[in-house]
Amino acid sequence: QVQLVESGGGLAQPGGSLRLSCAASGFTFSSYTMSWARQAPGKGLEWVSTIYSDGSDTYYADSVKGRFTISRDNAKNTLLLQMNSLQPEDTALYYCGRGLRPPYVYRGQGTQVTVSS
């Protein structure tokens, strides 16, 4: 069955960095567009970034453009999100999902990112 497992979240100071990973299994990872989304406390699910199946195209929400970088390793069935210059408003539960925009039929359980001094 399709499984997506996020990791790499934690506590970061403003201006700091974190790198999120999403391990995929149960499907041909290299054939699918993949995305990251996040949900802050009391808010809806917000799309963050998307990468095409072969990594040729990437897209970012305006709120993270220039600070976050999405990438993938198709040989390792892994989706990545490098987050730099983190701000308190980046605090959220981060999900990887299969597809372009939420809601995703398949998504992981999420990894918590907290940005605080």
Side-chain angles (χ1 to χ4, degrees):
Q1 71 279 19
V2 173
Q3 193 167 15
L4 298 168
V5 180
E6 302 92 341
S7 62
L11 176 64
Q13 292 191 337
S17 299
L18 286 172
R19 190 190 196 206
L20 305 185
S21 295
C22 172
S25 61
F27 65 103
T28 304
F29 178 74
S30 60
S31 296
Y32 287 88
T33 292
M34 297 294 296
S35 297
W36 289 96
R38 65 187 182 185
Q39 188 161 21
K43 296 188 177 180
L45 194 60
E46 175 193 16
W47 170 75
V48 172
S49 184
T50 292
I51 185 167
Y52 278 14
S53 59
D54 62 357
S56 60
D57 287 290
T58 57
Y59 302 91
Y60 299 92
D62 287 344
S63 57
V64 306
K65 198 172 295 182
R67 301 188 297 122
F68 290 11
T69 302
I70 190 171
S71 61
R72 65 192 295 160
D73 185 339
N74 284 343
K76 296 182 179 179
N77 292 346
T78 301
L79 180 70
L80 302 167
L81 185 68
Q82 178 67 43
M83 306 188 296
N84 298 330
S85 301
L86 284 164
Q87 300 301 318
E89 53 265 35
D90 294 318
T91 295
L93 190 61
Y94 282 72
Y95 299 95
C96 64
R98 194 176 84 174
L100 284 168
R101 294 287 189 273
Y104 302 106
V105 173
Y106 297 105
R107 74 176 195 188
Q109 293 291 98
T111 185
Q112 178 67 40
V113 171
T114 302
V115 184
S116 174
S117 55

